[in-house]
Amino acid sequence: MSDMIGLAASAAGGGIFGLAGTALGRVAVFFERRQQHAHEQARWRHETELAVHRDRAAAQARADQLVQAQAEGAWRGLSASIEADAAIGPSYRWVNAVRGLTRPCLTFTLWAITFAIFVGASDESRMAITETATFAATAATLWWFGDRGPQAKQVPPA
């Protein structure tokens, strides 16, 4: 009988250890899947952030291209205006005098308008209007008088 009890005890012990091993295996699989799920969530979170950054970079690139195109257009317009102004030949003395006074009078008027707006505008609209008027007055001053500086004499090629 002791052999039977020993055999039963061995079977029971093996069964208990087998069940414990199965339970430990299931617990390990549970934690492994949980870790795998957390890893997948982190990967997808990273992929989402990467897509957002790519979209922002593409939007910024488009905005930069637009600004560049606007600047190039402005420079082409300025260049054409300067060329047209340079193409005007000499005329009567009074015409040249009026033409010579036009830039200073317009510049003074623009700066007077800028000052009047700055002094008279309400607080909420003052900045936008003043910035626009200042831009116009500065552009006029630098453009109109920038090309009137002393010109270097060109030496003909030998």
Side-chain angles (χ1 to χ4, degrees):
M1 173 105 179
S2 96
D3 287 339
M4 272 309 230
I5 292 178
L7 184 62
S10 292
I16 290 174
F17 276 109
L19 285 175
T22 300
L24 284 175
R26 298 286 170 105
V27 168
V29 166
F30 170 76
F31 284 114
E32 187 177 286
R33 283 189 182 158
R34 194 168 87 177
Q35 185 179 13
Q36 210 172 25
H37 182 68
H39 176 71
E40 283 295 313
Q41 281 182 332
R43 188 173 70 86
W44 281 107
R45 202 169 25 254
H46 173 74
E47 291 290 331
T48 303
E49 289 174 9
L50 186 61
V52 166
H53 289 302
R54 283 183 185 148
D55 288 346
R56 284 183 189 157
Q60 184 63 42
R62 287 189 300 272
D64 290 346
Q65 287 174 346
L66 179 62
V67 168
Q68 182 179 1
Q70 289 172 341
E72 287 174 358
W75 280 111
R76 280 195 297 272
L78 175 64
S79 184
S81 178
I82 290 172
E83 287 174 13
D85 192 38
I88 298 174
S91 185
Y92 296 105
R93 291 177 80 180
W94 70 272
V95 172
N96 288 336
V98 169
R99 193 182 307 153
L101 287 175
T102 301
R103 290 178 181 184
C105 289
L106 285 175
T107 303
F108 176 78
T109 303
L110 277 170
W111 282 108
I113 289 169
T114 302
F115 178 75
I117 289 171
F118 183 75
V119 171
S122 64
D123 286 338
E124 54 271 355
S125 63
R126 177 177 290 152
M127 281 311 296
I129 296 171
T130 304
E131 285 176 4
T132 303
T134 302
F135 171 81
T138 305
T141 303
L142 294 177
W143 174 41
W144 289 339
F145 296 106
D147 66 337
R148 289 190 169 204
Q151 301 291 324
K153 293 184 179 179
Q154 293 186 0
V155 179

